[in-house]
Amino acid sequence: MTLRDRLLAAPLLVILSALSGVAMFLPAAHATLTNMDQVAQSFFYSGLMVLIVTAMVWLATSTWRPRNLARSQLASLVGAYALMPVIFAVPVTQALPDTSFMNAWFEMVSCFTTTGASLYDTPGRLAPSLHLWRATVGWLGGLFILVTATAILAPMNLGGVEVMSGRAPGRGGAGLSQITKVADPSQRFLRYTMVLFPIYSGLTLLLWLLLMIAGEVNLLALIHAMGTLSTSGIGLDGDLSMLRTGLVGEVLIVLFLMLAVTRRFLPGAQSALMQGPLHRDPEVRLAAIVIATTTAVLFFRHFIGAIEVEATDDAASALRALWGTFFMAVSFLTTTGYESGEWAAARSWSGLPSPGLVLLGLAIIGGGVATTAGGVKLLRVYALFRHGERELEKLIHPSSIGGQGSQARRLRREGAYFAWLFFMLFALSIAVSTAALSLMNLPFEDALVLTLAALSTTGQLADLAGSTPIRYAELDNAAKAFLAMVMVVGRLETLALLALFAPSSWQR
C-alpha cells in the first residue's frame, strides 16, 4: 500500500485529530504576536503532541478495515463528538490554569457542535487568543457537519435528505454518485473536504476582509466571520454592540447567514428540490415567509409598546427597531444566536421585554438541510406544511388530484411521514431532557430553555429566551455533562443515533 493510499484510508477520527493539531498553531501564532508566551506555548506544545500521537495511531490503524461500513460511519460521527472536545480542551486547561477540565470540555463541546454556549461570559476572563481558539473550534465544527452531511449522512438518507428522497432513514438508495456508493467513508470524507474546504475558507476570508474594510478590528472581524459561517454565534461578547462597523457590519453578517438557509450555494449532493430558480427553492421561500412574518409581528408589538409610552414620533428609533427585529429573526432562524446591536434599542423604544418564546420558535424551526444550522430544519417544516395543505384540500374536494409531479407527491407523502417522525423524536427529546434537568434541581422554565438551546444548537437562547438570563457557569457538573450530551444529540439528530443502534444496521 502506497503512502497516498494509506492517507486516503486513514480513519475519520485520525483525520480530525490531525486537523485539530494543525489548527492549534493558529492561536499559538496569535499569542506569540501579542506577547502572550504562556498561551502560545500551551497551544504550540499541545498541537505538537496531538500530531505526534495522531501519527502513531495512524500507523497502528492504517491496515484496519471495519466489518460494517454503514454502521462504522455513524459510529465515527459519535466518536468524533466524544473524542475531539477532549483534544480541544487540552490547550485550554494549559493556557487557563484556574479552570477545571470539566469546564474546558463543556466549552469545547459547545463550540464543536456550533452551539455557542459559553461558561466564560465574564469580560476579560479569556485572553484574545483563547477567544480565537473558541471561534476556530466552532468553525471546524461547521466544516465537519457540512462535510459529513454530504459524505456520510446523505448516502444513508439522514440529516433531512430522507425528506427529499422519500426512502427510509439509515439506508442508501439510487441517485448517488459512484464514489458515494463504493468508496470508503474516510475516502469520501477526504474528497468532500477537499471540495468544500476552499469554498468554506474563501467565504470566511471574504467576510473577514469585508468587515475589516468596513472598519472592524482584525481579530474581532475574524472571530465574527468564523462565527457567522459556522452559525456558532461565537464572539467576544454575546451581542454585536462591540462592532465598530455598526449597521454595515450587521448587514454583511446577514448576507452570509443566508448560506445557512439552503445548501444550493455549496457543492455536494444535490436533489431535484434544489434545482431551478432561487425563488422557487422551498427552503428559501419558507425562510422568507418566516422572517417577514416574524419581523412584522415583533415590530408591530414594539410599535404598540411605543404608542403606550408616546414614542411613535421618533422615526430613527423606529427604523433601528425594525432592523434589530429583522436581524434577530435571521440570526435565530439560522440558529446562529448573534444579538443585534439595535435589539436593545428596539426594546428601549417600546419598553417591552425580549419575546423569548418567538426566539425559541425560530431556533426550533432551524435552517436549511445539509447546512451548518441546527433545529428541525426548514425542509421538514415545509414537507409538513405541504402535507397539511393537501389534506385540507382533500376535505373540500375528496376526489381531487394533488399533481405537481412525482417529486412533490413524494414530499407530501413519504417526506412528510419522515418529517413527522423526526418532529416527534425531537419533541420526545425535549420532554426527556427537560424532565432530567428538572430532576437536577433546575426550575422548569430554565430547564426548558436550556434544553431547547442545546437541541437547536443555539446556546445564546439562555440569555434572551427566559424571563431572566441563565448563566451556564452557575450549573453544576452533572447538568453541564448532561447538556453537553444533549448538544451532541441536537447536532447529530435522533434519527442518526437510532440508525446507529438499530439492529438492522448491524447486518449490512
Side-chain angles (χ1 to χ4, degrees):
M1 181 181 292
T2 64
L3 179 61
R4 179 179 179 276
D5 293 334
R6 288 193 175 189
L7 287 174
L8 288 177
L12 177 60
L13 293 180
V14 172
I15 299 172
L16 290 175
S17 181
L19 289 175
S20 68
V22 174
M24 290 179 188
F25 295 130
L26 176 61
H30 178 269
T32 301
L33 294 174
T34 55
N35 298 320
M36 303 189 68
D37 296 336
Q38 180 185 355
V39 177
Q41 291 176 4
S42 300
F43 280 99
F44 178 79
Y45 289 128
S46 296
L48 196 60
M49 180 189 68
V50 169
L51 289 178
I52 293 174
V53 174
T54 300
M56 296 172 62
V57 173
W58 169 61
L59 290 175
T61 60
S62 59
T63 59
W64 176 78
R65 293 293 180 273
R67 295 182 179 179
N68 190 319
L69 287 178
R71 191 163 182 258
S72 69
Q73 297 175 36
L74 296 178
S76 297
L77 290 183
V78 176
Y81 285 103
L83 175 64
M84 298 312 299
V86 175
I87 297 176
F88 293 140
V90 171
V92 177
T93 56
Q94 299 298 316
L96 200 65
D98 59 343
T99 192
S100 64
F101 187 83
M102 178 68 187
N103 288 345
W105 172 79
F106 177 89
E107 191 79 11
M108 294 299 101
V109 172
S110 173
C111 293
F112 192 53
T113 57
T114 70
T115 303
S118 180
L119 296 171
Y120 309 109
D121 52 2
T122 305
R125 179 72 172 87
L126 298 180
S129 298
L130 287 173
H131 282 295
L132 178 59
W133 178 237
R134 292 177 58 241
T136 302
V137 173
W139 187 83
L140 289 174
L143 175 63
F144 177 66
I145 199 63
L146 280 178
V147 175
T148 54
T150 305
I152 297 178
L153 296 180
M156 299 186 69
N157 288 309
L158 292 169
V161 178
E162 74 280 356
V163 177
M164 298 181 286
S165 66
R167 293 186 292 269
R171 299 181 181 181
L176 303 176
S177 63
Q178 186 67 16
I179 182 175
T180 299
K181 293 180 180 179
V182 303
D184 181 84
S186 297
Q187 295 182 22
R188 292 206 307 267
F189 186 86
L190 275 176
R191 292 179 185 272
Y192 280 113
T193 299
M194 289 186 286
V195 171
L196 289 170
F197 180 79
I199 299 175
Y200 187 67
S201 303
L203 291 172
T204 305
L205 291 174
L206 177 60
L207 179 56
W208 180 27
L209 291 174
L210 290 176
L211 288 174
M212 286 194 297
I213 291 173
E216 188 51 71
V217 178
N218 53 3
L219 177 63
L220 191 59
L222 178 59
I223 291 176
H224 281 132
M226 288 181 168
T228 299
L229 268 296
S230 64
T231 66
S232 63
I234 294 175
L236 297 184
D237 202 352
D239 56 49
L240 299 179
S241 59
M242 296 178 62
L243 274 178
R244 295 186 179 183
T245 55
L247 180 61
V248 176
E250 292 188 5
V251 170
L252 292 173
I253 288 175
V254 163
L255 291 176
F256 281 81
L257 282 180
M258 294 303 175
L259 296 172
V261 171
T262 177
R263 178 58 183 262
R264 63 186 295 143
F265 299 111
L266 296 174
Q270 299 291 321
S271 71
L273 290 177
M274 293 183 182
Q275 307 298 326
L278 181 62
H279 67 275
R280 293 186 178 275
D281 189 302
E283 292 181 322
V284 173
R285 294 171 66 182
L286 181 58
I289 293 173
V290 171
I291 292 171
T293 303
T294 303
T295 302
V297 170
L298 291 184
F299 179 76
F300 182 74
R301 172 179 178 267
H302 285 299
F303 184 77
I304 296 299
I307 292 177
E308 295 179 357
V309 297
E310 300 181 353
T312 54
D313 57 342
D314 190 350
S317 296
L319 292 176
R320 293 171 63 190
L322 179 62
W323 169 256
T325 303
F326 172 77
F327 183 94
M328 294 294 284
V330 176
S331 178
F332 280 83
L333 182 66
T334 57
T335 68
T336 306
Y338 277 138
E339 180 183 353
S340 171
E342 306 299 336
W343 183 239
R347 288 178 291 172
S348 299
W349 178 56
S350 63
L352 296 176
S354 175
L357 189 61
V358 175
L359 300 181
L360 284 172
L362 289 172
I364 290 174
I365 294 175
V369 168
T371 65
T372 56
V376 174
K377 301 297 176 60
L378 287 165
L379 190 60
R380 291 189 175 106
V381 177
Y382 178 78
L384 291 175
F385 169 76
R386 293 305 304 270
H387 175 74
E389 181 184 48
R390 175 59 185 153
E391 290 299 313
L392 290 175
E393 183 179 300
K394 289 169 64 177
L395 287 176
I396 302 174
H397 304 287
S399 301
S400 64
I401 299 176
Q404 299 182 4
S406 60
Q407 289 286 344
R409 288 194 297 271
R410 183 163 62 244
L411 181 72
R412 293 192 302 262
R413 295 175 182 175
E414 294 87 356
Y417 170 78
F418 293 129
W420 180 252
L421 175 64
F422 176 84
F423 187 81
M424 288 296 99
L425 290 172
F426 192 85
L428 180 62
S429 301
I430 294 174
V432 172
S433 301
T434 303
L437 289 174
S438 298
L439 293 175
M440 298 178 188
N441 298 322
L442 284 173
F444 175 79
E445 180 183 352
D446 292 357
L448 179 61
V449 170
L450 290 173
T451 294
L452 292 175
L455 281 176
S456 65
T457 66
T458 316
Q460 295 80 359
L461 285 171
D463 293 326
L464 300 170
S467 55
T468 57
I470 306 171
R471 297 189 69 245
Y472 290 97
E474 296 177 355
L475 303 176
D476 57 28
N477 287 339
K480 292 175 186 175
F482 183 79
L483 274 178
M485 290 188 292
V486 176
M487 291 176 193
V488 175
V489 172
R491 183 75 277 181
L492 284 178
E493 299 187 352
T494 48
L495 281 178
L497 295 176
L498 287 177
L500 171 62
F501 295 107
S504 59
S505 68
W506 305 346
Q507 301 171 3
R508 292 195 299 274

